[in-house]
Amino acid sequence: MKPKPAAAPVGRPRGFDADEALDRALRLFWRQGYEGTSLSDLTAELGINRPSLYAAFGNKESLFRKALDRYVERQMGLFHDAFAKPTARAAVEHLLLGLADAQTLPREPKGCITVQGALVSGADAAPVQGELAARRAAGEKALRERLEQGQREGDVPAEVDCAELARYFTTVTQGMAVQAASGASRESLRRVARMAMLAWPT
């Protein structure tokens, strides 16, 4: 009798594309949040078993962080383009209108993963909550720094508290994300963005 061939080691399935799998995981977390997405959801969406998922991405939290990095990388282009505008006002307006568009893309989940992903309640999800809060804070900090640059250049009034103004516009964008996830149209969010710009200090 011929000896049986050794069993193939458990690993990634043939044709596995890690980038595509990460994009799929990102969309799933984006739609369902961190705690609302189970390992069974992830293996079904990615088309791999649990050992393969662990081998490729680590545990669920590690995969979520990798997906979040992918999302932030995509958003950086919008922030870069906005902050390159010649005035702080133009930068904020470009950012708000751009986010209205980004949160309502036809073939993507609606809203923002840093807002939807934060809808967690269990103690096990506390590190993820902290990570998402840190990402949101980083965005607010970048906006505050662009406003401070505008203040130095004379297009933001000297008496304006740039930290408070950044917090106001950040709150608007987060509210837009919630509205988008609830089905608000792109044009309705763009109207919100334009309305928010009426609060620009003069």
Side-chain angles (χ1 to χ4, degrees), residues 144-174:
R144 187 200 75 221
E145 290 172 348
R146 181 62 183 88
L147 293 171
E148 290 170 345
Q149 176 188 334
Q151 202 166 50
R152 292 191 299 271
E153 294 170 351
D155 56 78
V156 175
E159 67 275 12
V160 168
D161 185 326
C162 291
E164 290 300 321
L165 190 58
R167 182 160 301 155
Y168 167 73
F169 284 116
T170 299
T171 302
V172 170
T173 63
Q174 291 173 2

Side-chain angles (χ1 to χ4, degrees), residues 5 16 35 43 58 78 84-85 88-89 91 100 107 115 119-120 124 129 143 145-146 166 170 194 198:
F16 179 83
E35 200 165 60
T43 54
L78 172 58
K85 295 294 181 182
R89 189 187 192 286
R107 289 179 293 278
V115 176
L119 301 178
V120 294
D124 290 344
Q129 270 189 320
L143 180 55
E145 290 172 348
R146 181 62 183 88
T170 299
R194 295 187 185 99
L198 296 178

